């Protein structure tokens, strides 16, 4: 089995996350993609993050029409800070040694990978798929230097179609009363409006 892991704050989940996950699934012939909303993102401690039950609900709504997509609340159930290493260890234990895990992340996050908690152990045990927008050249040399041979074996770079959407932009648009149609799935748009999020 090959499983893709899409971690994120998903505040809210948008079509950029979904389209990226789907292209990576096809490109790497992954059996499924597990979306894992993060509890307290260590790098986002400074800002307000929407209540986790809302972020989980939107992630479930957004992924339910794709039979290859699943959602896990494992990070939300954990207490304390949310580290990817703990999540990957838990998944490795759950799925066993015959399953390979592929953590999907944006190229912007790849630049910071060396600063993640126990980064070298993390990269030694799992694969990372860094998605780059067409025409954007991300400097990989520092990452290669830091991770050594593990970088070429376990960090894969792929180009996926650019979908220029961020959760930040969605939150700002809602606050300004602007449309978020076609930026998030319809069910997520309805949920945000119904629950009065991001106002
Ligand atoms: P925020 O604006 O709040 O930072 P975000 O849109 O970056 O939110 P996150 O939940 O922080 O969303 O991102 C989760 C993962 O998805 C990260 O690895 C990030 O690089 C990736 N990602 C976010 N937006 C896109 C996009 N439009 N296309 C591809 N990958 C994306
Ligand atoms: Mg982000």
């Amino acid at each position: 089995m090959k499983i893709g892991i899409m971690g994120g704050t998903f505040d809210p989940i948008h079509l950029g996350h979904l389209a990226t996950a789907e292209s990576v699934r096809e490109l790497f012939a992954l059996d499924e993609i597990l979306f894992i909303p993060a509890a307290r993102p260590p790098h986002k401690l400074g800002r307000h993050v929407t209540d986790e039950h809302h972020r989980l609900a939107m992630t479930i709504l957004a992924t339910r029409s794709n039979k290859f997509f699943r959602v896990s609340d494992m990070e939300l159930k954990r207490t304390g800070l949310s580290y990817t290493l703990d999540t990957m260890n838990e998944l490795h234990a759950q799925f066993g040694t015959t399953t390979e895990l592929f953590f999907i992340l944006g190229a912007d996050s790849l630049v910071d990978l060396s600063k993640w908690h126990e980064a070298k152990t993390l990269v030694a045990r799992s694969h990372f798929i860094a998605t780059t927008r067409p025409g954007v050249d991300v400097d990989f040399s520092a990452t290669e230097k830091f991770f050594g041979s593990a970088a070429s074996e376990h960090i894969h770079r792929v180009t996926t179609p650019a979908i220029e959407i961020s959760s930040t932009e969605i939150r700002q648009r809602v606050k300004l009363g602007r449309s978020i149609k076609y930026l998030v799935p319809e069910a997520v748009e309805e949920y945000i409006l119904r629950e009065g999020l991001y106002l």
Side-chain angles (χ1 to χ4, degrees):
M1 285 269 280
K2 296 204 288 184
I3 298 182
I5 312 297
M6 189 86 193
T9 316
F10 303 135
D11 191 13
I13 190 163
H14 54 68
L15 294 189
H17 298 130
L18 295 162
T20 300
E22 182 67 356
S23 3
V24 169
R25 184 189 68 75
E26 268 201 314
L27 282 169
F28 284 78
L30 303 178
D31 295 286
E32 65 176 33
I33 306 272
L34 201 52
F35 286 76
I36 309 184
R40 291 167 205 75
H43 63 288
K44 284 185 184 168
L45 284 177
R47 78 154 177 91
H48 169 79
V49 173
T50 303
D51 201 275
E52 52 193 48
H53 84 272
H54 285 313
R55 294 186 290 113
L56 178 65
M58 291 189 283
T59 307
I60 292 170
L61 287 172
T63 52
R64 72 179 169 192
S65 65
N66 188 325
K67 66 174 180 186
F68 298 106
F69 287 0
R70 277 206 301 135
V71 181
S72 167
D73 64 354
M74 59 189 286
E75 289 199 359
L76 300 180
K77 282 202 244 155
R78 205 181 292 148
T79 51
L81 287 174
S82 204
Y83 288 116
T84 302
L85 183 69
D86 301 328
T87 302
M88 295 311 253
N89 284 345
E90 209 173 315
L91 291 171
H92 277 298
Q94 197 178 314
F95 288 108
T97 48
T98 53
T99 295
E100 283 184 297
L101 301 179
F102 293 77
F103 192 93
I104 304 159
L105 75 180
D108 55 318
S109 308
L110 176 67
V111 179
D112 298 328
L113 187 59
S114 61
K115 294 181 210 127
W116 288 23
H117 181 63
E118 296 213 39
K120 282 185 179 159
T121 312
L122 192 59
V123 170
R125 291 187 194 159
S126 307
H127 292 268
F128 282 77
I129 300 175
T131 61
T132 324
R133 283 167 289 151
V136 174
D137 202 26
V138 177
D139 186 11
F140 193 53
S141 58
T143 308
E144 265 174 331
K145 204 172 158 206
F146 183 85
F147 290 104
S149 62
S152 50
E153 287 157 30
H154 279 191
I155 303 178
H156 315 271
R157 282 170 297 164
V158 294
T159 305
T160 52
I163 303 201
E164 285 296 337
I165 305 173
S166 68
S167 303
T168 302
E169 188 198 342
I170 306 288
R171 294 192 300 271
Q172 282 168 353
R173 283 179 160 270
V174 175
K175 203 169 174 63
L176 296 170
R178 295 184 61 193
S179 169
I180 53 166
K181 240 181 223 309
Y182 317 120
L183 301 176
V184 297
E186 210 169 321
V188 172
E189 181 201 0
E190 284 164 9
Y191 187 95
I192 290 170
L193 300 179
R194 187 170 68 239
E195 297 290 330
L197 304 182
Y198 312 123
L199 290 174

